[in-house]
Amino acid sequence: MKTATIARWTVHLLALLPLLELTIKVVTQQIGPDPAEAIVRDLGFWALLCLWCCLAMTPLRHLTGQPHWIAMRRPLGLWAFAYGSLHLAAFVIIWAGVDTSIVLDEVKERPYILLGVGAWLTMLPLAATSTRKARAVLGSRWSQLHRLVYLAALLGLIHLLLIAKLDYVKFLAFSIALIFLFFLRFINRQRRQIAI
């Protein structure tokens, strides 16, 4: 089996584990005193983590010289979208009980919800065009479109900041990681320009 195939399957299996753990907690009623909030927050955390890992694949390829990192980029991006979709669905179905008035009231009181929805909408075309066929059809426009991943990351980060409630540990960790990833990409771009 090729290294790239193993890498992809490894990502799928590892990314599935948090969802299985959360499901077990819900079924065994070990989710905590506020299940709705715990489920929504947990799914949101894993959406961000998968997205950050996706952003890390290209810098890792440049740092290590190993191409197999790129094979993990697509599954990580799809899992980020999947967890983001579940995060949004959990908010609407579990938190708000599919009650439009509750959703609208929450949006009015907590504008950061719109930032989260914005991040999800930004990832939607990326997930829809993640196939090789879509890349071939779009050509050079594919790379331009997929730069939206940076916007999704920034919207997700601001969303996280606004829900922190004085506990900024996760926000700081994600912020530092994102700045570092941007720095690595900037350094690599500078090196390529010098090489030219």
Side-chain angles (χ1 to χ4, degrees), residues 100-137:
T100 307
S101 61
I102 293 177
V103 172
L104 292 175
D105 287 342
E106 288 292 319
V107 170
K108 288 177 184 176
E109 292 179 16
R110 300 173 175 85
Y112 59 77
I113 293 172
L114 291 178
L115 290 170
V117 173
W120 181 81
L121 288 173
T122 304
M123 289 194 293
L124 182 59
L126 305 185
T129 59
S130 64
T131 62
R132 290 181 182 176
K133 184 177 180 180
R135 187 166 189 167
V137 170

Side-chain angles (χ1 to χ4, degrees), residues 42-187:
D42 205 30
L43 292 169
F45 169 79
W46 287 107
L48 280 180
L49 189 61
C50 287
L51 184 58
W52 261 239
C53 288
C54 176
L55 289 170
M57 294 302 102
T58 299
L60 281 171
R61 182 190 66 179
H62 293 310
L63 286 171
T64 64
Q66 299 296 322
H68 63 265
W69 293 107
I70 295 302
M72 294 188 275
R73 188 171 59 186
R74 180 173 179 264
L76 281 167
L78 289 174
W79 274 106
F81 179 71
Y83 274 111
S85 300
L86 290 171
H87 174 64
L88 180 59
F91 168 72
V92 173
I93 297 170
I94 302 173
W95 183 291
V98 202
D99 189 325
T100 307
S101 61
I102 293 177
V103 172
L104 292 175
D105 287 342
E106 288 292 319
V107 170
K108 288 177 184 176
E109 292 179 16
R110 300 173 175 85
Y112 59 77
I113 293 172
L114 291 178
L115 290 170
V117 173
W120 181 81
L121 288 173
T122 304
M123 289 194 293
L124 182 59
L126 305 185
T129 59
S130 64
T131 62
R132 290 181 182 176
K133 184 177 180 180
R135 187 166 189 167
V137 170
L138 290 171
S140 61
R141 290 175 296 174
W142 186 90
S143 295
Q144 295 172 355
L145 175 65
H146 279 251
R147 286 176 187 156
L148 284 174
V149 69
Y150 304 120
L151 176 59
L154 289 173
L155 289 173
L157 190 63
I158 299 170
H159 177 72
L160 180 62
L161 169 64
L162 296 177
I163 64 172
K165 294 182 180 178
L166 301 178
D167 182 9
Y168 297 105
V169 175
K170 288 180 183 177
F171 168 74
L172 289 173
F174 276 106
S175 298
I176 292 168
L178 189 61
I179 291 169
F180 183 63
L181 290 173
F182 281 159
F183 174 74
L184 290 177
R185 285 175 177 270
F186 173 76
I187 292 297

